[in-house]
Amino acid sequence: MLLRQLAITNFKNIASTKLTFSDKLNCFLGDNGMGKSNLLDAIYYLSFCRSFTGVHDSLIVHRDEEFALLQAQYLRHNTDEDINISIGAKRRKSVKRSGKEYPRLSDHIGLFPTVLVSPADMDLITGAGEVRRRFMDMVISQGNPTYLDALIKYNNALDNRNKLLRSDIRDAALFQAYETAMDAFANIITAERRRFVEQLVQIHQRYYNAISNSSERTSLSLNTQMDNDPDGSLINILDHRRDRDRMLGFTSAGPHRDDLEMSLNDLPLRRTASQGQSKTFTIALRLAQYDFLAKATGLKPLLLLDDIFDKLDSRRVENIIALVTGSEFGQIFITDTNRKHLDEILSHLPGAQSLWTVTDGVFTQAVQLR
């Protein structure tokens, strides 16, 4: 899959630009705050219909403007496709594929797979379990519409149960109706998360060792409360916890409480790893995500690398460059404040390259080899 062209209007600090991309490597050079990451966010938005920063759509629209517009041309499965997204500060978002608007935004997820590697990925280690659950959900959903549908329906049933817990209603049959639905969808969610983690472990170890030139052991495991019942039934767990949950005011068990445990040399990563080890771990995790999605979707995802070389030694930088410029990766978009890094990347890959300088949301092409 390739992103051929992108026109941006009023997206964050990018007032207006139209870019034509190279098929392999696209580099963006500039100081912090100039708009490099905003461009990657626009590309991310085209795949997920939301910003990778998590901000509300009203904060995406350029100041004093009423709307933002993203217009993209892709080559997908050897077919040209257009994606147009209109983001209103005070109106409903519209996402169209080849001129037809989606009835549900979830129908778009996974059709244009994208992997983002950024400094914020350290939150996967230091953040709460919600961050790691969101990572699992985002990756699995791109390659598995059934999982995404189960996740949406589970969360709807969960919301309804939580409302009951905070109400004066004591109707056991009503609770059981929501809990039965939660159990059915929880089985799908848990099974797919287990399958995902099992596949990810070996891929992640390979990338970690390739980046670090080490034989350190990495480990990923799913910590799920579904293991707390012998038959794996969420219904039993929720039934036993109903009175306690009513006192708490929320549902205390289920896939929404799962976590992804990470370790290095059999020790918890967040407690023992150095900064370099932690950053290597997260970059390897994203590259493993790329591998997983390529197999699940039959497409090479777009790879977005946002200022990832900071605080890495030169050897690890060289190893990452060697990996991502290999044939297993497709189109790459990379930002940096250091021209030396980008020149080194360009030197590793003759042809199919472009370099832009970025200043206050304005993109100036400095190098175009093809």
PDB file of all heavy atoms in Angstrom, residues 331-350:
ATOM      1  N   GLN A 331       6.386   1.782   2.513  1.00  0.00           N
ATOM      2  CA  GLN A 331       6.565   3.232   2.491  1.00  0.00           C
ATOM      3  C   GLN A 331       6.798   3.765   3.910  1.00  0.00           C
ATOM      4  O   GLN A 331       6.092   3.389   4.854  1.00  0.00           O
ATOM      5  CB  GLN A 331       5.334   3.880   1.873  1.00  0.00           C
ATOM      6  CG  GLN A 331       5.512   5.338   1.486  1.00  0.00           C
ATOM      7  CD  GLN A 331       4.274   5.896   0.801  1.00  0.00           C
ATOM      8  OE1 GLN A 331       3.163   5.400   0.992  1.00  0.00           O
ATOM      9  NE2 GLN A 331       4.453   6.922  -0.011  1.00  0.00           N
ATOM     10  N   ILE A 332       7.769   4.666   4.033  1.00  0.00           N
ATOM     11  CA  ILE A 332       8.184   5.178   5.338  1.00  0.00           C
ATOM     12  C   ILE A 332       8.108   6.700   5.349  1.00  0.00           C
ATOM     13  O   ILE A 332       8.499   7.364   4.386  1.00  0.00           O
ATOM     14  CB  ILE A 332       9.626   4.734   5.672  1.00  0.00           C
ATOM     15  CG1 ILE A 332       9.742   3.207   5.651  1.00  0.00           C
ATOM     16  CG2 ILE A 332      10.076   5.279   7.026  1.00  0.00           C
ATOM     17  CD1 ILE A 332      11.176   2.710   5.712  1.00  0.00           C
ATOM     18  N   PHE A 333       7.619   7.237   6.466  1.00  0.00           N
ATOM     19  CA  PHE A 333       7.586   8.678   6.710  1.00  0.00           C
ATOM     20  C   PHE A 333       8.331   8.932   8.016  1.00  0.00           C
ATOM     21  O   PHE A 333       7.948   8.391   9.057  1.00  0.00           O
ATOM     22  CB  PHE A 333       6.149   9.182   6.808  1.00  0.00           C
ATOM     23  CG  PHE A 333       5.341   8.941   5.562  1.00  0.00           C
ATOM     24  CD1 PHE A 333       4.758   7.696   5.318  1.00  0.00           C
ATOM     25  CD2 PHE A 333       5.174   9.940   4.617  1.00  0.00           C
ATOM     26  CE1 PHE A 333       4.021   7.459   4.167  1.00  0.00           C
ATOM     27  CE2 PHE A 333       4.441   9.723   3.457  1.00  0.00           C
ATOM     28  CZ  PHE A 333       3.871   8.475   3.229  1.00  0.00           C
ATOM     29  N   ILE A 334       9.371   9.742   7.961  1.00  0.00           N
ATOM     30  CA  ILE A 334      10.233   9.900   9.132  1.00  0.00           C
ATOM     31  C   ILE A 334      10.511  11.373   9.403  1.00  0.00           C
ATOM     32  O   ILE A 334      10.764  12.151   8.474  1.00  0.00           O
ATOM     33  CB  ILE A 334      11.550   9.116   8.938  1.00  0.00           C
ATOM     34  CG1 ILE A 334      12.441   9.232  10.164  1.00  0.00           C
ATOM     35  CG2 ILE A 334      12.295   9.521   7.681  1.00  0.00           C
ATOM     36  CD1 ILE A 334      13.590   8.239  10.154  1.00  0.00           C
ATOM     37  N   THR A 335      10.424  11.768  10.662  1.00  0.00           N
ATOM     38  CA  THR A 335      10.733  13.140  11.057  1.00  0.00           C
ATOM     39  C   THR A 335      11.946  13.149  11.976  1.00  0.00           C
ATOM     40  O   THR A 335      12.182  12.202  12.726  1.00  0.00           O
ATOM     41  CB  THR A 335       9.557  13.801  11.801  1.00  0.00           C
ATOM     42  OG1 THR A 335       9.430  13.205  13.112  1.00  0.00           O
ATOM     43  CG2 THR A 335       8.258  13.630  11.041  1.00  0.00           C
ATOM     44  N   ASP A 336      12.709  14.262  11.916  1.00  0.00           N
ATOM     45  CA  ASP A 336      13.851  14.417  12.813  1.00  0.00           C
ATOM     46  C   ASP A 336      14.274  15.880  12.821  1.00  0.00           C
ATOM     47  O   ASP A 336      13.999  16.626  11.878  1.00  0.00           O
ATOM     48  CB  ASP A 336      15.025  13.532  12.360  1.00  0.00           C
ATOM     49  CG  ASP A 336      15.917  13.109  13.527  1.00  0.00           C
ATOM     50  OD1 ASP A 336      16.341  14.002  14.288  1.00  0.00           O
ATOM     51  OD2 ASP A 336      16.183  11.912  13.678  1.00  0.00           O
ATOM     52  N   THR A 337      14.949  16.265  13.879  1.00  0.00           N
ATOM     53  CA  THR A 337      15.548  17.603  13.952  1.00  0.00           C
ATOM     54  C   THR A 337      17.006  17.576  13.527  1.00  0.00           C
ATOM     55  O   THR A 337      17.644  18.620  13.409  1.00  0.00           O
ATOM     56  CB  THR A 337      15.470  18.141  15.388  1.00  0.00           C
ATOM     57  OG1 THR A 337      16.147  17.228  16.271  1.00  0.00           O
ATOM     58  CG2 THR A 337      14.015  18.277  15.840  1.00  0.00           C
ATOM     59  N   ASN A 338      17.536  16.360  13.277  1.00  0.00           N
ATOM     60  CA  ASN A 338      18.963  16.168  13.001  1.00  0.00           C
ATOM     61  C   ASN A 338      19.159  15.776  11.539  1.00  0.00           C
ATOM     62  O   ASN A 338      18.800  14.664  11.132  1.00  0.00           O
ATOM     63  CB  ASN A 338      19.517  15.086  13.934  1.00  0.00           C
ATOM     64  CG  ASN A 338      21.022  14.956  13.866  1.00  0.00           C
ATOM     65  OD1 ASN A 338      21.634  15.218  12.841  1.00  0.00           O
ATOM     66  ND2 ASN A 338      21.623  14.527  14.973  1.00  0.00           N
ATOM     67  N   ARG A 339      19.744  16.653  10.754  1.00  0.00           N
ATOM     68  CA  ARG A 339      19.975  16.376   9.328  1.00  0.00           C
ATOM     69  C   ARG A 339      20.921  15.189   9.145  1.00  0.00           C
ATOM     70  O   ARG A 339      20.800  14.432   8.179  1.00  0.00           O
ATOM     71  CB  ARG A 339      20.559  17.630   8.652  1.00  0.00           C
ATOM     72  CG  ARG A 339      20.916  17.452   7.171  1.00  0.00           C
ATOM     73  CD  ARG A 339      19.681  17.275   6.306  1.00  0.00           C
ATOM     74  NE  ARG A 339      20.007  16.988   4.933  1.00  0.00           N
ATOM     75  CZ  ARG A 339      19.930  17.886   3.934  1.00  0.00           C
ATOM     76  NH1 ARG A 339      19.531  19.125   4.175  1.00  0.00           N
ATOM     77  NH2 ARG A 339      20.220  17.547   2.695  1.00  0.00           N
ATOM     78  N   LYS A 340      21.836  14.991  10.090  1.00  0.00           N
ATOM     79  CA  LYS A 340      22.795  13.898   9.976  1.00  0.00           C
ATOM     80  C   LYS A 340      22.085  12.554   9.926  1.00  0.00           C
ATOM     81  O   LYS A 340      22.430  11.685   9.125  1.00  0.00           O
ATOM     82  CB  LYS A 340      23.778  13.938  11.141  1.00  0.00           C
ATOM     83  CG  LYS A 340      24.807  12.814  11.130  1.00  0.00           C
ATOM     84  CD  LYS A 340      25.734  12.897  12.335  1.00  0.00           C
ATOM     85  CE  LYS A 340      26.708  11.717  12.347  1.00  0.00           C
ATOM     86  NZ  LYS A 340      27.597  11.752  13.544  1.00  0.00           N
ATOM     87  N   HIS A 341      21.082  12.364  10.814  1.00  0.00           N
ATOM     88  CA  HIS A 341      20.333  11.106  10.817  1.00  0.00           C
ATOM     89  C   HIS A 341      19.652  10.872   9.470  1.00  0.00           C
ATOM     90  O   HIS A 341      19.712   9.776   8.903  1.00  0.00           O
ATOM     91  CB  HIS A 341      19.274  11.125  11.917  1.00  0.00           C
ATOM     92  CG  HIS A 341      19.822  11.001  13.301  1.00  0.00           C
ATOM     93  ND1 HIS A 341      19.161  11.458  14.418  1.00  0.00           N
ATOM     94  CD2 HIS A 341      20.991  10.471  13.748  1.00  0.00           C
ATOM     95  CE1 HIS A 341      19.878  11.206  15.492  1.00  0.00           C
ATOM     96  NE2 HIS A 341      20.988  10.614  15.118  1.00  0.00           N
ATOM     97  N   LEU A 342      18.987  11.901   8.963  1.00  0.00           N
ATOM     98  CA  LEU A 342      18.238  11.742   7.720  1.00  0.00           C
ATOM     99  C   LEU A 342      19.160  11.504   6.530  1.00  0.00           C
ATOM    100  O   LEU A 342      18.846  10.699   5.645  1.00  0.00           O
ATOM    101  CB  LEU A 342      17.356  12.965   7.491  1.00  0.00           C
ATOM    102  CG  LEU A 342      16.277  13.211   8.557  1.00  0.00           C
ATOM    103  CD1 LEU A 342      15.423  14.406   8.171  1.00  0.00           C
ATOM    104  CD2 LEU A 342      15.404  11.978   8.760  1.00  0.00           C
ATOM    105  N   ASP A 343      20.298  12.188   6.494  1.00  0.00           N
ATOM    106  CA  ASP A 343      21.256  11.956   5.404  1.00  0.00           C
ATOM    107  C   ASP A 343      21.776  10.525   5.442  1.00  0.00           C
ATOM    108  O   ASP A 343      21.999   9.896   4.395  1.00  0.00           O
ATOM    109  CB  ASP A 343      22.419  12.942   5.504  1.00  0.00           C
ATOM    110  CG  ASP A 343      22.047  14.333   5.018  1.00  0.00           C
ATOM    111  OD1 ASP A 343      21.033  14.453   4.306  1.00  0.00           O
ATOM    112  OD2 ASP A 343      22.767  15.295   5.348  1.00  0.00           O
ATOM    113  N   GLU A 344      21.972  10.007   6.653  1.00  0.00           N
ATOM    114  CA  GLU A 344      22.454   8.624   6.768  1.00  0.00           C
ATOM    115  C   GLU A 344      21.402   7.649   6.258  1.00  0.00           C
ATOM    116  O   GLU A 344      21.724   6.673   5.571  1.00  0.00           O
ATOM    117  CB  GLU A 344      22.797   8.316   8.228  1.00  0.00           C
ATOM    118  CG  GLU A 344      23.413   6.938   8.418  1.00  0.00           C
ATOM    119  CD  GLU A 344      23.847   6.684   9.850  1.00  0.00           C
ATOM    120  OE1 GLU A 344      23.768   7.613  10.671  1.00  0.00           O
ATOM    121  OE2 GLU A 344      24.254   5.548  10.149  1.00  0.00           O
ATOM    122  N   ILE A 345      20.146   7.919   6.575  1.00  0.00           N
ATOM    123  CA  ILE A 345      19.068   7.063   6.089  1.00  0.00           C
ATOM    124  C   ILE A 345      18.983   7.119   4.575  1.00  0.00           C
ATOM    125  O   ILE A 345      18.859   6.098   3.889  1.00  0.00           O
ATOM    126  CB  ILE A 345      17.736   7.491   6.729  1.00  0.00           C
ATOM    127  CG1 ILE A 345      17.771   7.239   8.232  1.00  0.00           C
ATOM    128  CG2 ILE A 345      16.563   6.737   6.099  1.00  0.00           C
ATOM    129  CD1 ILE A 345      16.600   7.837   8.968  1.00  0.00           C
ATOM    130  N   LEU A 346      19.057   8.325   4.034  1.00  0.00           N
ATOM    131  CA  LEU A 346      18.998   8.486   2.585  1.00  0.00           C
ATOM    132  C   LEU A 346      20.132   7.748   1.886  1.00  0.00           C
ATOM    133  O   LEU A 346      19.957   7.182   0.808  1.00  0.00           O
ATOM    134  CB  LEU A 346      19.037   9.972   2.226  1.00  0.00           C
ATOM    135  CG  LEU A 346      17.795  10.797   2.603  1.00  0.00           C
ATOM    136  CD1 LEU A 346      18.088  12.291   2.462  1.00  0.00           C
ATOM    137  CD2 LEU A 346      16.607  10.413   1.752  1.00  0.00           C
ATOM    138  N   SER A 347      21.315   7.748   2.506  1.00  0.00           N
ATOM    139  CA  SER A 347      22.465   7.093   1.890  1.00  0.00           C
ATOM    140  C   SER A 347      22.323   5.585   1.851  1.00  0.00           C
ATOM    141  O   SER A 347      22.973   4.910   1.058  1.00  0.00           O
ATOM    142  CB  SER A 347      23.747   7.472   2.638  1.00  0.00           C
ATOM    143  OG  SER A 347      23.774   6.881   3.926  1.00  0.00           O
ATOM    144  N   HIS A 348      21.468   5.028   2.727  1.00  0.00           N
ATOM    145  CA  HIS A 348      21.268   3.581   2.776  1.00  0.00           C
ATOM    146  C   HIS A 348      20.300   3.092   1.710  1.00  0.00           C
ATOM    147  O   HIS A 348      20.205   1.890   1.470  1.00  0.00           O
ATOM    148  CB  HIS A 348      20.738   3.165   4.156  1.00  0.00           C
ATOM    149  CG  HIS A 348      21.803   2.950   5.183  1.00  0.00           C
ATOM    150  ND1 HIS A 348      22.529   3.981   5.728  1.00  0.00           N
ATOM    151  CD2 HIS A 348      22.274   1.808   5.754  1.00  0.00           C
ATOM    152  CE1 HIS A 348      23.399   3.500   6.606  1.00  0.00           C
ATOM    153  NE2 HIS A 348      23.266   2.188   6.631  1.00  0.00           N
ATOM    154  N   LEU A 349      19.577   4.004   1.093  1.00  0.00           N
ATOM    155  CA  LEU A 349      18.507   3.569   0.208  1.00  0.00           C
ATOM    156  C   LEU A 349      18.493   4.417  -1.056  1.00  0.00           C
ATOM    157  O   LEU A 349      17.843   5.451  -1.113  1.00  0.00           O
ATOM    158  CB  LEU A 349      17.155   3.696   0.932  1.00  0.00           C
ATOM    159  CG  LEU A 349      15.989   2.951   0.292  1.00  0.00           C
ATOM    160  CD1 LEU A 349      16.183   1.453   0.391  1.00  0.00           C
ATOM    161  CD2 LEU A 349      14.694   3.353   0.972  1.00  0.00           C
ATOM    162  N   PRO A 350      19.199   4.018  -2.081  1.00  0.00           N
ATOM    163  CA  PRO A 350      19.213   4.795  -3.317  1.00  0.00           C
ATOM    164  C   PRO A 350      17.853   4.760  -4.004  1.00  0.00           C
ATOM    165  O   PRO A 350      17.188   3.733  -4.058  1.00  0.00           O
ATOM    166  CB  PRO A 350      20.278   4.086  -4.162  1.00  0.00           C
ATOM    167  CG  PRO A 350      20.320   2.688  -3.624  1.00  0.00           C
ATOM    168  CD  PRO A 350      20.031   2.801  -2.164  1.00  0.00           C
TER     169      PRO A 350
END
